[in-house]
Amino acid sequence: MEVFNKLNERFPCRKNVLKTLTNLIGHSEEMLPAAIHIYGHTGTGKTTLLKNFFNESIRRNKNKLNVAYVNCVESYTSRILFENILEYISGAIADDIKTENLKDFVEKLRRIQSQPEVQYIISLDNAERLRDMDANVLPSLLRLQQLTGLNICVILISQLPLEKFYCKTSIDDPITIYFPQYTKSETLEILSADFKNAQKLIVALLNRKKPEDLSTKLEIVDTVTREFFNNYLNLFLGVFYKACRDLSELKITARKCFTFYMEPILDGTVSMSDVSRLWRCIAGQLRTALSQVYIRSGQPETPVVNNDKEILKVAQSLELPYYGKYLLIAAFIASYNSSKEDKRLFVKNHGKRRKRLQNVNANAKVTEKMNTYIGPKSFSVDRLLAIFYAILDEKVGLTCNLLSQISTLVNLKLLSFVSGENVMDGTSRLQCTVGLEFVICISQVVGFNVRQYLSDFN
Amino acid sequence: MTDVMDPTISVSKGCFVFKGTSSAKNSGATKRKHNDDNVSALRKQMTGQPYYSTYTATWQKLESHIEALQSESYAKTLEDLVTYVKNECSAEGNMDTYDMEEIVPAAALLTGVNQPDHLEQFATLTQRILQKMSASVCMLQSRDCATLKSAVETMVYNFVENAERSPPTELEDEDTEQREKKRLRRTQCNMRQLLNWYRRKYIKPQLQTGSEVEDAADDVSDACESPTKSYSKRPHALVVILPDFECFNTAILQDFILMLSAYYTHLPFVLVFGVATAVSAVHNALPYHVTSKIKLCVFKTLTAPVCLNEILERVILSPKYAFNLSGKAFKFLTHIFLYYDFSIHGFIQAYKYCLMEHFFQGNAYALCANYTASLNRIKDLTHEDIESIRRLLSFRPYVESINDCKRIIAILTDDSYLKKKLPQLLRDCHIHFMLLRIFLEFFTVLVGDLPKCPLGKQRRELYSFCLSKELRDQPEFKECWQILSFMSKDEFVAKISKAISVTEDFMSAEIVGLELANDCMTTVTSKFQALKALLTRVVMAGTEDKSPTNTAAPTTTPATPESSKQQKFTSRQDLKDHLLQMSKQQNKPTSEYAQAVAQTLLHIQNEIVVCHLAPLARAPPLHELFVFSDVSTVRRNIIGAPRAALHMALNNPHYYLQCKCCQLSESNQLLATLPDLSVAYKLHLECGRMINLFDWLQAFRSVVDDIDNEQEQVDPQIQARFTRAVAELQFLGYIKMSKRKTDHATRLTW
């Protein structure tokens, strides 16, 4: 019960979940349930809560509880998973816990001679990864209690509900605990607990910048009250709650924006009570922050860019060698034209096309039929080079340097291999991964008109 | 072919890798036909040669200069990056994610697309980080990360091994104990191993010195409970550098980052991404649940062309070095850079190759050093070297310019006489190139920012232009001059005086410390004196001459209409002549100002452009010693053209085989003595896309088999030879057996 009280204090709004947990595994003298499945969205505190719960429990009764906490992302083989678990539980160092397979693992667990009152808990984070391992791992883990005869409990932590874990061989249903998402008021409550940290951040920033009137500014920071912070959070959540419910994301952004919020106050231009003026000051900043809420950039002062312009900016800032640019353009043309059209587009005397009604009808293109909207088609390296030579005015030799440009473009993810990555004879197929706007931008730089060579626009 | 013994011309043509100086030594050795096996003796023979020592001295100077420059230009970004890394690892630095445990700090370094150079940059970064803070750095390349397993193994192995290799700093006994454990097999490397290693090495020692209460080894959880404590417990950062971010498999990268973040409470990782394109690449590769685990900070480096310009202007065009590239060679190297790969490293290596090629021409080229050094070299020249000097192209005009018979004979036959003459000639060359460089500065300011930049705006462009062509006769030059003469007075005066001041600055910065500086300076100052005088005239022209031109204008203008009125034109011809005359009159610069400007420009053209920015053809005698111009050799050796080489080999085997039997009078000739493969290849060149095998065989037979036996069965031996040739062509990728049409092959080349 002490653990419960302590954690309830530290983690507001998680009373129900905590109670269930305490009832299930909080009593050292009782038998543990075989397995527990914990799920809920990201940022609902599954991992943090559980970790703290274990820490507290271990502190209370040190010798009687053995906890293994393993993240399954790391366990790319089941062997690592087993060895990690064993290391935690038996406290042995790497060498004597070689575990090749599940049988070894169970055997090792059995061999741990222990007093009957010791409890073992294995908690597996990102448990959905267990499904990708050997078929026997997940079912056996869920009935580890039966297999080993220890007082052991396996806790699966995952973002997926239990239904997603069912497999052909069927699993024993574990006890399920759901971590619901925080409501708005709960979020507010949790964020307001972060008051001290936000204050500290401002102090740290001030100390780093070292303005002239550092002491007065520090005093101002000291006078900030919790109500003031809560008011700010109300404003903040009003903007952000619609876009983002992830608690840690909100927390970081709230701290960052709080420094902006405090800026006019620290400068002495706006008083702390003048909420409407403060709002006017912060509104722009919040909007900026909202547009890059998930981007997590370290520099708070990066300017906002909207999406269209970003493509232009990337295309302009992308410094490619001259022939590299032409190769990219050629790749684009090859990707978005059918090879039937090549002759018409690139050969000077290709003969007149006879206009027939059928053709006219076929060419009256609906947007859905435009090649540029359908997506890139693959083309062979030979065709790429042929188009490259066709669109380039000057004569260049087919040298190693030129060919290596193709692989550079692939490395930059501007082109991608569809097939034949290791074939050398020019029949391997590629695809162009950049869009029309990007290519138009690039071709403007070298003074080339792409549209002229796209069958969609002719 | 003169250079038959050149090691780069062999039967199998392709790219030849020259690994620095060692291969230069070898190639030198083969040329001198010392076929000894004794390498050290060879080396002595090589390094003893004067040209070689000059080469090494020059290259070392250049290399260190380039390195200094590069580290200077990377310095700012690197410094920022290192500070960021350092901040993130200290307790106070990461306040904005304080008490959020699983957020790994990450830095994205936008490096530009010249990927071959990046590894070097990151190597410097690694060094900087190691200098500035206690950290282990691991460079993780995408080729090592085909699976998560190999990624982790590589990372852990690198961390642990590097730490072992670096000299033990604090704890000797720990180290030895670890060493025997560290017969680490790759498969044993996993995160747990890293964690143990880290604790053993960095946390335990600290605890031993500090508080011994806590036992860090067995409790996993203490750290995450109180962040402040855990942060203070992190003496040593683990920096993971991913130099080629784009090449990583995204799924593996995501898992990898998730894993690092899971361990972040125990192991202070810092990620550094080398991003070649743009930051959006990071966001494209990583979905939200991964980006939420990192904190991204973006850094930018200078773009490659900017870096190259800097190197070109400050090192390669520096007057400090006697070695110069001809306009063509210079253009060729920059062309590779700008058009193909943007690789600075590649550029430097190509430049080095030119340098080697230049000095390798013989000991006479040892004179290509600074003035005093070359004076010292003169006395060591042998008769052969002197002869090679006499064979230089520019030597002949020099001899012809002497009109004393005895002296000509002396110069051509008497070595010691020529040696006496050499210092003066070398001096002229040195001064010529220095003046060229000085006035290049002047000229760049003059024409670099004209509208549309007819001559180009970079020094490099102007340089290659000047050296390769007679500037005065070029239409671009005339255009520039026209634009200059149309400028307003203020602009014109400002431009010229800026050009003068920039040049003077350049002289005081770069030239003053050099030998022969004074001679240059006197020339330059005298020229500028004259120029300044003309400039003052330009300035004065506007102010004083306003009234005279005004008065002069009315007197002239009325005169013409009057005369036209008076004159009655008798024919069209008369009128035309008259009009022509009038237009000529009007073309003459009427105002004094325009005259003054024209004079100034003429002065610049005659005194500076023609005299000093002269093309190589007009350079002083023996300039070949200082200028490398053999572009074709360089092109042949540093640019691999596989298809062209194959075509050459098949079309004209004599080129490589050097046999007597296959000498062709013209390239499309067919001989029976040619190799079968070559005959088949040449026949297939004559065909269209589809090749009928039977026709091909007949043609093959008619070439190979000189007896005319149309009706008979084909000789099985010939058929076998043909089949084999066809199979080889298929193997080489020229043809493919068609599936659509029986007995036909498809050509794959065009």
Side-chain angles (χ1 to χ4, degrees):
Chain A
M1 264 345 242
E2 307 156 48
V3 178
F4 171 75
N5 288 335
K6 188 155 185 192
L7 287 183
N8 199 17
E9 225 170 85
R10 203 185 293 165
F11 297 97
C13 320
R14 278 282 171 250
K15 197 170 177 184
N16 291 333
V17 175
L18 264 176
K19 198 165 238 166
T20 331
L21 258 185
T22 326
N23 287 339
L24 285 173
I25 54 175
H27 303 282
S28 55
E29 62 281 356
E30 283 175 11
M31 194 68 184
L32 292 170
I36 302 173
H37 176 243
I38 293 178
Y39 74 102
H41 240 282
T42 40
T44 45
K46 303 179 296 290
T47 308
T48 325
L49 189 83
L50 218 62
K51 271 189 178 171
N52 280 281
F53 187 85
F54 292 144
N55 289 340
E56 283 300 321
S57 311
I58 289 174
R59 182 165 296 179
R60 307 284 151 187
N61 36 11
K62 209 158 192 168
N63 298 322
K64 288 187 185 165
L65 187 65
N66 247 329
V67 177
Y69 191 92
V70 177
N71 192 336
C72 292
V73 173
E74 168 204 358
S75 315
Y76 39 84
T77 60
S78 44
R79 183 184 159 165
I80 291 183
L81 176 73
F82 299 143
E83 289 186 358
N84 276 341
I85 294 173
L86 278 179
E87 191 192 343
Y88 278 117
I89 284 189
S90 59
I93 307 295
D95 290 339
D96 49 326
I97 52 164
K98 265 187 193 157
T99 320
E100 288 297 335
N101 50 30
L102 189 75
K103 183 170 153 277
D104 281 2
F105 175 64
V106 174
E107 199 53 42
K108 288 249 162 72
L109 278 183
R110 274 168 181 278
R111 237 183 271 159
I112 298 175
Q113 295 297 325
S114 66
Q115 305 90 331
E117 66 266 23
V118 179
Q119 295 180 320
Y120 295 94
I121 293 178
I122 299 173
S123 93
L124 302 169
D125 208 342
N126 288 321
E128 63 270 9
R129 306 269 172 155
L130 290 175
R131 299 176 302 171
D132 306 332
M133 290 183 193
D134 300 342
N136 62 353
V137 173
L138 182 61
S140 333
L141 278 176
L142 287 179
R143 51 172 67 184
L144 208 55
Q145 207 167 48
Q146 284 177 40
L147 292 173
T148 58
L150 294 170
N151 187 7
I152 199 165
C153 170
V154 176
I155 301 180
L156 307 177
I157 307 173
S158 170
Q159 290 182 41
L160 304 179
L162 189 64
E163 290 76 39
K164 299 279 178 192
F165 284 79
Y166 288 140
C167 57
K168 274 181 204 155
T169 49
S170 90
I171 51 169
D172 292 4
D173 270 1
I175 299 165
T176 301
I177 302 177
Y178 175 58
F179 276 56
Q181 279 228 307
Y182 295 111
T183 61
K184 191 173 178 181
S185 56
E186 281 171 342
T187 314
L188 190 63
E189 192 180 338
I190 296 166
L191 285 182
S192 80
D194 200 37
F195 171 58
K196 284 281 176 238
N197 287 332
Q199 214 171 5
K200 260 188 221 161
L201 174 63
I202 292 181
V203 173
L205 281 179
L206 281 177
N207 280 332
R208 201 181 301 169
K209 273 185 202 154
K210 296 210 190 313
E212 291 149 27
D213 43 355
L214 181 65
S215 54
T216 53
K217 285 191 175 176
L218 287 180
E219 273 169 35
I220 297 176
V221 175
D222 273 339
T223 57
V224 174
T225 57
R226 194 171 278 269
E227 286 86 81
F228 177 76
F229 188 65
N230 282 347
N231 278 338
Y232 156 74
L233 284 178
N234 261 325
L235 283 179
F236 172 80
L237 278 186
V239 176
F240 274 82
Y241 195 68
K242 268 180 237 157
C244 168
R245 309 243 160 142
D246 184 285
L247 194 64
S248 50
E249 193 69 50
L250 283 175
K251 211 177 197 176
I252 291 176
T253 322
R255 277 182 204 171
K256 209 193 282 174
C257 290
F258 189 56
T259 57
F260 299 137
Y261 193 65
M262 289 293 289
E263 243 165 42
I265 299 174
L266 292 178
D267 292 344
T269 45
V270 182
S271 82
M272 215 179 281
S273 55
D274 194 353
V275 182
S276 59
R277 272 187 75 186
L278 278 176
W279 164 247
R280 244 172 283 142
C281 291
I282 191 71
Q285 298 279 14
L286 286 184
R287 221 172 298 131
T288 312
L290 187 64
S291 69
Q292 43 183 290
V293 65
Y294 286 115
I295 288 181
R296 248 343 137 68
S297 81
Q299 297 111 323
E301 58 274 344
T302 41
V304 224
V305 268
N306 59 14
N307 218 9
D308 292 355
K309 276 195 187 147
E310 190 146 26
I311 291 179
L312 293 182
K313 237 178 85 186
V314 169
Q316 273 157 9
S317 68
L318 188 66
E319 295 257 352
L320 275 178
Y322 188 73
Y323 293 146
K325 281 176 185 153
Y326 265 104
L327 272 174
L328 188 61
I329 295 169
F332 184 83
I333 292 174
S335 258
Y336 288 96
N337 284 336
S338 71
S339 54
K340 275 186 242 160
E341 307 265 357
D342 281 355
K343 195 177 174 197
R344 185 172 66 81
L345 289 169
F346 300 111
V347 179
K348 280 224 176 82
N349 301 314
H350 51 76
K352 277 260 160 76
R353 260 198 312 173
R354 236 187 264 150
K355 269 199 181 169
R356 285 196 301 181
L357 194 62
Q358 204 184 347
N359 281 347
V360 173
N361 282 344
N363 286 348
K365 282 199 171 142
V366 213
T367 30
E368 290 91 68
K369 276 194 178 171
M370 299 263 277
N371 278 328
T372 32
Y373 286 85
I374 290 171
K377 300 196 172 60
S378 68
F379 53 88
S380 69
V381 173
D382 277 340
R383 190 170 161 228
L384 170 69
L385 288 172
I387 294 180
F388 171 75
Y389 280 109
I391 61 175
L392 201 66
D393 296 331
E394 50 200 304
K395 200 105 182 89
V396 276
L398 183 67
T399 59
C400 291
N401 289 3
L402 193 65
L403 293 175
S404 71
Q405 273 303 301
I406 298 178
S407 68
T408 307
L409 290 176
V410 173
N411 275 349
L412 295 176
K413 298 252 165 109
L414 299 173
L415 304 182
S416 68
F417 270 109
V418 179
S419 71
E421 202 160 337
N422 303 316
V423 185
M424 306 281 285
D425 64 353
T427 53
S428 54
R429 298 190 79 79
L430 291 155
Q431 230 175 20
C432 179
T433 58
V434 294
L436 179 62
E437 275 178 42
F438 190 93
V439 167
I440 286 180
C441 222
I442 293 261
S443 57
Q444 268 167 3
V445 177
V446 291
F448 176 81
N449 187 4
V450 206
R451 285 165 176 273
Q452 202 182 329
Y453 290 102
L454 289 173
S455 58
D456 280 353
F457 300 106
N458 287 311
Chain B
M1 206 177 292
T2 51
D3 45 0
V4 177
M5 292 311 287
D6 194 314
T8 56
I9 295 183
S10 69
V11 177
S12 60
K13 182 157 186 176
C15 307
F16 291 86
V17 178
F18 283 89
K19 282 207 161 173
T21 51
S22 63
S23 61
K25 283 169 203 160
N26 293 337
S27 61
T30 37
K31 188 162 190 174
R32 296 235 142 58
K33 293 179 185 151
H34 295 303
N35 292 323
D36 300 352
D37 285 349
N38 194 338
V39 179
S40 64
L42 270 184
R43 191 164 293 162
K44 219 170 263 170
Q45 195 122 32
M46 273 299 306
T47 47
Q49 302 283 359
Y51 82 83
Y52 182 76
S53 55
T54 322
Y55 159 72
T56 34
T58 316
W59 173 243
Q60 271 164 9
K61 259 194 274 172
L62 277 167
E63 192 180 27
S64 58
H65 196 165
I66 290 173
E67 265 170 24
L69 194 69
Q70 275 184 321
S71 63
E72 195 183 304
S73 67
Y74 296 148
K76 177 79 181 63
T77 327
L78 284 190
E79 217 49 57
D80 288 350
L81 189 57
V82 172
T83 337
Y84 171 76
V85 171
K86 211 172 159 185
N87 263 337
E88 288 307 324
C89 297
S90 66
E92 311 85 47
N94 45 9
M95 276 308 290
D96 46 342
T97 50
Y98 177 81
D99 92 348
M100 322 268 281
E101 292 129 24
E102 300 196 330
I103 294 174
V104 184
L109 186 62
L110 300 182
T111 45
V113 295
N114 52 338
Q115 289 176 322
D117 294 356
H118 294 173
L119 287 182
E120 249 171 77
Q121 285 183 23
F122 283 108
T124 8
L125 174 67
T126 311
Q127 281 172 0
R128 285 288 172 91
I129 291 177
L130 291 179
Q131 279 168 11
K132 287 281 162 75
M133 57 193 282
S134 158
S136 299
V137 183
C138 162
M139 189 110 74
L140 204 58
Q141 292 190 42
S142 57
R143 61 163 180 265
D144 301 326
C145 303
T147 59
L148 183 63
K149 182 167 181 277
S150 58
V152 173
E153 278 169 7
T154 317
M155 181 185 75
V156 176
Y157 187 79
N158 279 356
F159 272 136
V160 177
E161 279 296 299
N162 285 344
E164 292 311 307
R165 241 178 284 139
S166 63
T169 44
E170 299 152 34
L171 296 151
E172 300 284 336
D173 54 334
E174 278 258 327
D175 213 64
T176 49
E177 172 237 319
Q178 272 173 13
R179 188 158 293 153
E180 60 201 59
K181 278 190 120 183
K182 282 304 131 43
R183 301 280 131 216
L184 253 187
R185 268 182 295 133
R186 280 246 161 168
T187 43
Q188 286 179 339
C189 292
N190 53 31
M191 292 304 284
R192 197 157 34 89
Q193 200 83 32
L194 185 67
L195 185 63
N196 287 334
W197 165 79
Y198 188 79
R199 286 197 176 132
R200 202 162 49 223
K201 191 151 172 122
Y202 298 105
I203 294 189
K204 242 191 196 159
Q206 224 192 24
L207 287 181
Q208 279 166 0
T209 53
S211 59
E212 284 186 60
V213 197
E214 278 168 301
D215 191 4
D218 82 330
D219 81 323
V220 204
S221 34
D222 252 19
C224 61
E225 187 195 337
S226 49
T228 32
K229 213 190 289 170
S230 75
Y231 280 127
S232 63
K233 244 196 256 173
R234 297 177 162 193
H236 190 84
L238 301 175
V239 184
V240 182
I241 298 178
L242 313 179
D244 42 359
F245 185 83
E246 274 93 348
C247 301
F248 276 84
N249 181 335
T250 48
I252 288 161
L253 195 64
Q254 288 162 20
D255 279 357
F256 186 70
I257 292 175
L258 284 180
M259 195 181 65
L260 292 192
S261 100
Y263 271 92
Y264 188 64
T265 39
H266 309 304
L267 299 171
F269 288 109
V270 180
L271 283 165
V272 178
F273 304 140
V275 182
T277 47
V279 200
S280 58
V282 178
H283 295 295
N284 289 342
L286 307 175
Y288 168 64
H289 73 274
V290 181
T291 38
S292 68
K293 302 285 189 203
I294 61 175
K295 179 168 70 173
L296 198 62
C297 197
V298 182
F299 298 91
K300 265 192 189 141
T301 53
L302 285 180
T303 55
V306 178
C307 288
L308 181 82
N309 269 346
E310 207 158 85
I311 289 182
L312 283 180
E313 282 168 16
R314 309 244 324 251
V315 181
I316 293 184
L317 289 183
S318 163
K320 259 187 252 172
Y321 305 106
F323 175 73
N324 292 292
L325 287 175
S326 76
K328 260 198 194 136
F330 192 79
K331 208 169 177 183
F332 171 69
L333 294 189
T334 44
H335 188 277
I336 296 179
F337 176 84
L338 290 173
Y339 282 57
Y340 287 104
D341 54 5
F342 268 179
S343 162
I344 288 176
H345 181 71
F347 179 85
I348 293 171
Q349 291 308 314
Y351 183 73
K352 186 178 172 186
Y353 184 82
C354 290
L355 198 69
M356 289 196 296
E357 198 67 40
H358 180 73
F359 282 103
F360 190 55
Q361 293 173 70
N363 275 334
Y365 289 82
L367 295 178
C368 175
N370 56 26
Y371 186 54
T372 35
S374 57
L375 288 188
N376 291 334
R377 297 252 183 242
I378 288 179
K379 63 176 185 298
D380 299 333
L381 292 177
T382 60
H383 174 67
E384 275 169 37
D385 302 332
I386 297 285
E387 275 304 310
S388 71
I389 290 179
R390 288 197 182 111
R391 276 197 298 271
L392 292 178
L393 275 182
S394 61
F395 192 70
R396 200 189 143 125
Y398 168 66
V399 174
E400 281 167 355
S401 69
I402 307 170
N403 40 21
D404 182 358
C405 259
K406 274 182 195 162
R407 275 171 58 207
I408 293 183
I409 292 170
I411 272 193
L412 288 177
T413 53
D414 188 1
D415 287 352
S416 55
Y417 182 74
L418 182 56
K419 277 187 187 175
K420 254 186 252 164
K421 279 281 171 191
L422 270 179
Q424 182 56 38
L425 292 174
L426 292 179
R427 197 184 124 98
D428 285 349
C429 275
H430 276 292
I431 290 184
H432 172 79
F433 285 113
M434 278 161 90
L435 284 175
L436 173 73
R437 181 67 187 88
I438 294 171
F439 285 112
L440 182 67
E441 204 71 23
F442 177 81
F443 198 59
T444 312
V445 182
L446 202 62
V447 302
D449 55 352
L450 294 179
K452 283 197 284 180
C453 310
L455 282 167
K457 54 183 163 186
Q458 309 280 4
R459 272 177 203 81
R460 57 178 161 83
E461 293 163 307
L462 288 170
Y463 176 79
S464 59
F465 210 100
C466 291
L467 281 192
S468 46
K469 286 170 192 160
E470 181 67 64
L471 207 51
R472 191 174 42 174
D473 303 336
Q474 299 304 314
E476 291 94 337
F477 176 77
K478 285 175 183 150
E479 198 182 328
C480 282
W481 243 229
Q482 198 161 28
I483 298 172
L484 282 175
S485 61
F486 287 156
M487 278 182 150
S488 79
K489 191 174 77 176
D490 291 346
E491 277 176 329
F492 185 76
V493 173
K495 195 171 214 8
I496 300 279
S497 37
K498 188 185 166 205
I500 292 177
S501 71
V502 165
T503 315
E504 277 164 354
D505 286 349
F506 175 78
M507 282 207 293
S508 59
E510 298 269 347
I511 300 287
V512 168
L514 303 177
E515 302 167 293
L516 302 174
N518 288 334
D519 302 276
C520 291
M521 302 277 252
T522 45
T523 324
V524 176
T525 36
S526 68
K527 298 242 154 143
F528 278 169
Q529 221 103 54
L531 185 59
K532 278 175 190 161
L534 282 169
L535 202 59
T536 44
R537 271 191 55 197
V538 173
V539 177
M540 301 305 276
T543 50
E544 281 181 11
D545 295 314
K546 236 172 202 166
S547 42
T549 41
N550 282 350
T551 51
T555 52
T556 52
T557 37
T560 36
E562 276 167 32
S563 59
S564 66
K565 266 176 211 164
Q566 286 167 358
Q567 229 167 335
K568 295 282 182 206
F569 299 112
T570 50
S571 68
R572 256 163 218 269
Q573 190 62 40
D574 277 352
L575 179 67
K576 202 175 165 190
D577 289 345
H578 183 73
L579 285 177
L580 264 177
Q581 249 178 357
M582 272 172 61
S583 67
K584 266 179 199 160
Q585 274 174 355
Q586 275 167 0
N587 261 3
K588 276 181 193 162
T590 42
S591 73
E592 272 294 304
Y593 163 68
Q595 264 173 5
V597 168
Q599 256 174 5
T600 319
L601 286 178
L602 194 68
H603 173 82
I604 295 177
Q605 183 181 334
N606 287 337
E607 294 296 312
I608 294 178
V609 174
V610 175
C611 288
H612 298 296
L613 296 174
L616 274 186
R618 285 205 286 118
L622 305 193
H623 67 261
E624 282 95 340
L625 291 179
F626 299 93
V627 181
F628 178 76
S629 52
D630 190 2
V631 187
S632 57
T633 312
V634 180
R635 190 199 305 274
R636 204 166 53 221
N637 292 337
I638 67 173
I639 291 194
R643 210 177 261 196
L646 261 180
H647 176 79
M648 192 56 157
L650 292 173
N651 204 32
N652 184 8
H654 177 74
Y655 184 77
Y656 293 113
L657 294 179
Q658 300 284 315
C659 56
K660 284 191 183 106
C661 52
C662 318
Q663 236 158 345
L664 302 179
S665 52
E666 52 184 302
S667 67
N668 49 4
Q669 198 183 2
L670 277 163
L671 290 178
T673 49
L674 288 173
D676 292 344
L677 177 61
S678 170
V679 173
Y681 175 79
K682 290 179 105 171
L683 289 171
H684 115 285
L685 284 184
E686 293 164 7
C687 299
R689 207 172 134 68
M690 300 295 271
I691 308 169
N692 185 329
L693 280 179
F694 183 75
D695 293 351
W696 199 3
L697 171 62
Q698 289 302 336
F700 183 79
R701 184 170 73 147
S702 69
V703 172
V704 178
D705 209 4
D706 42 355
I707 317 151
D708 192 34
N709 43 2
E710 283 288 318
Q711 316 307 322
E712 277 176 46
Q713 193 80 28
V714 183
D715 182 6
Q717 204 182 344
I718 287 181
Q719 191 169 359
R721 279 164 67 185
F722 174 73
T723 314
R724 184 177 160 162
V726 169
E728 278 171 350
L729 272 185
Q730 189 171 0
F731 175 69
L732 288 173
Y734 282 99
I735 53 163
K736 194 169 76 176
M737 287 305 144
S738 171
K739 279 172 194 160
R740 289 198 196 135
K741 218 169 171 183
T742 44
D743 286 343
H744 276 73
T746 322
R747 269 183 75 173
L748 293 175
T749 48
W750 30 267

